[in-house]
């Protein structure tokens, strides 16, 4: 079980300061949640993760189910112990992967649409994509079959047939043993029509109730608000999930929120006021450096994001002077740390920009590891500053 205490509610915004107490320790909120897909924050040891000021991790149910399988993780003492992290953890439900295996894979698109949305200001240059035409025709994705019971798909590793449903997802998450688990939902594809999203919501809400029923453990279960970028459907979803009362210990706000910075602020503005204020709210899969303040002001207590780690492994550092690409040849002659204003161990101990540029250009994995440490520390420090601002009444 978790306990959530709101220490301070801002008068200027929906931002709030809190403490989330889990069986594996406390999380000061708002907090960013790095992604440990396969029970690893890629390139870092678990003791290093803690040194980046990280408080909470999210691992992926879908990926751990495929390998090594939840039985192995359970035998290892559950995800937190298995990966020698021993701290607070969440697992997602596998629902997002339903989508990325489905139309997303067929048409090679991610969660975020790159062109104008049908109902935004950019509508003048809106063209339906191939995928949207397929959805409009009522096609099923090739790689998966979504039914009212759950989702059939084949393992991309060995082709075996697999099935995920509310009951199966909860069963796997119970074995993975994270402190916080998520209801199984359908994450609708970008550009999905109002009709499609509405039909999908009926299923997602029914699945939410089935997850509450299926859960046997004392893990904290979060319900997920979907509804894409449609205001009426987002509100309908928030009301439906909130109406499930103490079946849910907290909320996830998920799914496609569109590119054009309809973005996190708008979706949070629509949904947060309809949720039980005593419960923690997690924004799923969003958190670029420029979004942090908006997310926190919008009322998210936690949010997960792959950006700091993903870019680090591609040679990009986040610094107080903006993003720096360490592939740049000019950095080979640069003295000084990645960011002179950064207090992380990599910047303080004298690793030079020159050395890191060399590693990145030579494809040495140590380069990605050093930048992953720095980037996570940078993001965690940015969120720590936002917590300070809330405390001082500045946000
Ligand atoms: Zn640093």
């Amino acid at each position: 079980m978790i306990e959530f205490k709101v220490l301070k509610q801002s008068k200027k915004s929906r931002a709030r300061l809190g403490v989330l107490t889990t069986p594996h320790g406390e999380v000061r909120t708002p907090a960013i949640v790095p992604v440990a897909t396969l029970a690893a924050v890629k390139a870092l040891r678990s003791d290093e993760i803690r040194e980046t000021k990280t408080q909470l991790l999210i691992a992926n149910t879908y990926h751990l189910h495929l390998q090594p399988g939840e039985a192995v993780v359970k035998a290892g003492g559950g995800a937190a112990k298995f990966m020698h992290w021993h701290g607070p953890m969440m697992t997602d439900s596998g629902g997002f992967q339903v989508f990325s295996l489905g139309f997303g894979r067929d048409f090679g698109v991610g969660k975020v649409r790159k062109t104008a949305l049908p109902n935004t200001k950019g509508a003048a240059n809106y063209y339906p994509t191939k995928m949207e035409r397929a959805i409009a025709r009522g096609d099923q994705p090739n790689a998966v079959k979504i039914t009212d019971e759950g989702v059939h798909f084949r393992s991309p590793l060995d082709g075996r047939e697999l099935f995920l449903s509310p009951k199966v997802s909860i069963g796997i998450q119970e074995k993975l043993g994270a402190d916080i688990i998520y209801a199984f939902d359908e994450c609708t594809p970008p550009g999905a029509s109002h009709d499609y999203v509405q039909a999908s919501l009926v299923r997602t809400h029914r699945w939410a109730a089935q997850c509450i029923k299926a859960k046997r453990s004392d893990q904290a279960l979060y319900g997920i608000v979907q509804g894409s970028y449609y205001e009426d459907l987002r509100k309908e979803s928030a009301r439906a999930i909130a109406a499930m009362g103490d079946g849910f210990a907290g909320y996830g706000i998920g799914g496609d929120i569109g590119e054009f910075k309809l973005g996190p602020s708008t979706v949070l503005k629509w949904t947060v006021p309809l949720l039980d204020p005593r419960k923690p709210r997690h924004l799923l899969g969003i958190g670029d450096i420029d979004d942090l303040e908006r997310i926190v002001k919008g009322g998210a207590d936690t949010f997960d994001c792959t950006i700091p780690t993903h870019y680090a492994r591609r040679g990009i550092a986040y610094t107080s002077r903006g993003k720096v690409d360490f592939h740049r040849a000019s950095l080979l002659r640069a003295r000084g740390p990645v960011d002179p204003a950064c207090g992380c161990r990599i910047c303080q101990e004298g690793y030079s920009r020159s050395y890191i540029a060399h590693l990145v250009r030579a494809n040495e994995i140590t380069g990605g590891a050093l930048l992953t440490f720095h980037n996570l520390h940078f993001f965690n420090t940015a969120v720590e500053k936002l917590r300070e601002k809330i405390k001082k009444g500045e946000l």
Side-chain angles (χ1 to χ4, degrees):
M1 286 309 289
I2 56 165
E3 208 181 294
F4 183 60
K5 208 186 274 173
V6 177
L7 302 176
K8 182 175 180 180
Q9 171 64 59
S10 167
K11 289 188 176 72
K12 292 185 166 169
S13 68
R14 283 184 303 275
R16 57 189 192 173
L17 205 62
V19 188
L20 181 64
T21 306
T22 78
H24 286 90
E26 281 187 356
V27 180
R28 298 270 151 182
T29 64
I32 184 165
V33 185
V35 179
T37 305
L38 277 162
V41 172
K42 289 183 178 57
L44 290 194
R45 295 197 315 256
S46 294
D47 56 304
E48 293 174 315
I49 303 170
R50 197 173 292 284
E51 275 189 78
T52 66
K53 302 186 193 175
T54 296
Q55 308 178 73
L56 173 63
L57 293 175
I58 184 165
N60 291 115
T61 290
Y62 168 85
H63 290 99
L64 288 170
H65 178 55
L66 294 185
Q67 64 176 5
E70 56 276 15
V72 172
V73 177
K74 189 180 179 190
K81 189 174 179 208
F82 182 55
M83 67 180 284
H84 201 59
W85 156 251
H86 303 293
M89 280 193 81
M90 326 174 131
T91 47
D92 68 0
S93 68
F96 172 66
Q97 283 76 19
V98 167
F99 158 69
S100 50
L101 259 185
F103 283 117
R105 175 169 291 192
D106 289 359
F107 295 98
V109 297
K111 180 168 75 162
V112 177
R113 198 176 197 280
K114 295 284 186 279
T115 53
L117 297 166
N119 63 344
T120 61
K121 280 182 188 150
N125 52 19
Y126 169 73
Y127 300 100
T129 61
K130 251 184 179 173
M131 181 178 77
E132 286 155 11
R133 290 200 296 271
I135 293 167
R137 281 196 305 270
D139 290 0
Q140 280 269 351
N142 295 324
V144 302
K145 191 166 169 10
I146 304 168
T147 70
D148 282 344
E149 282 67 50
V151 185
H152 299 268
F153 59 101
R154 282 182 185 278
S155 163
L157 298 181
D158 56 17
R160 78 196 138 114
E161 273 186 47
L162 295 167
F163 176 66
L164 266 185
S165 68
K167 203 173 161 188
V168 174
S169 170
I170 295 296
I172 298 170
Q173 293 188 78
E174 288 181 333
K175 291 203 173 92
L176 294 175
D179 305 298
I180 295 164
I181 63 177
Y182 282 90
F184 185 68
D185 63 328
E186 184 191 354
C187 181
T188 52
S193 68
H194 190 275
D195 282 356
Y196 183 97
V197 177
Q198 195 159 32
S200 160
L201 270 191
V202 174
R203 189 154 50 207
T204 284
H205 297 159
R206 190 168 55 231
W207 286 356
Q210 288 171 7
C211 286
I212 293 173
K213 228 174 127 190
K215 187 173 82 85
R216 294 282 169 269
S217 68
D218 59 2
Q219 290 161 294
L221 176 63
Y222 281 23
I224 301 187
V225 175
Q226 287 286 354
S228 191
Y229 42 78
Y230 299 106
E231 182 175 358
D232 60 329
L233 298 182
R234 278 282 173 191
K235 288 183 169 169
E236 182 187 320
S237 185
R239 281 192 198 99
I241 297 296
M244 296 185 198
D246 287 339
F248 291 128
Y251 309 106
I253 296 162
D256 167 36
I257 57 170
E259 181 116 290
F260 286 73
K261 300 298 168 192
L262 168 63
S265 317
T266 309
V267 173
L268 289 167
K269 186 176 81 192
W270 291 339
T271 54
V272 164
L274 300 172
L275 301 171
D276 184 340
R278 295 167 301 175
K279 293 179 184 175
R281 314 181 276 244
H282 180 90
L283 187 64
L284 284 145
I286 304 286
D288 203 349
I289 197 78
D290 300 330
D291 293 325
L292 299 182
E293 191 167 314
R294 270 181 293 207
I295 290 171
V296 167
K297 279 164 91 172
D301 300 303
T302 53
F303 47 94
D304 66 279
C305 183
T306 56
I307 282 177
T309 48
H310 174 94
Y311 280 102
R313 296 196 306 279
R314 281 151 189 82
I316 311 284
Y318 282 79
T319 77
S320 53
R321 295 179 206 158
K323 270 192 265 187
V324 178
D325 185 348
F326 274 78
H327 288 96
R328 270 167 41 197
S330 60
L331 287 176
L332 285 171
R333 303 256 170 211
R335 290 161 199 266
V338 174
D339 182 354
C342 175
C344 91
R345 196 151 60 80
I346 307 306
C347 292
Q348 292 294 315
E349 276 183 1
Y351 285 97
S352 66
R353 280 190 284 172
S354 166
Y355 177 57
I356 293 175
H358 153 64
L359 294 177
V360 167
R361 290 166 60 85
N363 274 326
E364 283 288 342
I365 55 175
T366 305
L370 293 171
L371 289 182
T372 300
F373 189 100
H374 163 82
N375 277 0
L376 275 186
H377 192 279
F378 187 82
F379 273 67
N380 272 311
T381 304
V383 178
E384 189 177 64
K385 285 179 187 158
L386 295 176
R387 288 199 296 270
E388 281 303 309
K389 276 184 156 180
I390 302 172
K391 205 185 267 177
K392 290 185 195 152
E394 294 169 3
L395 194 83

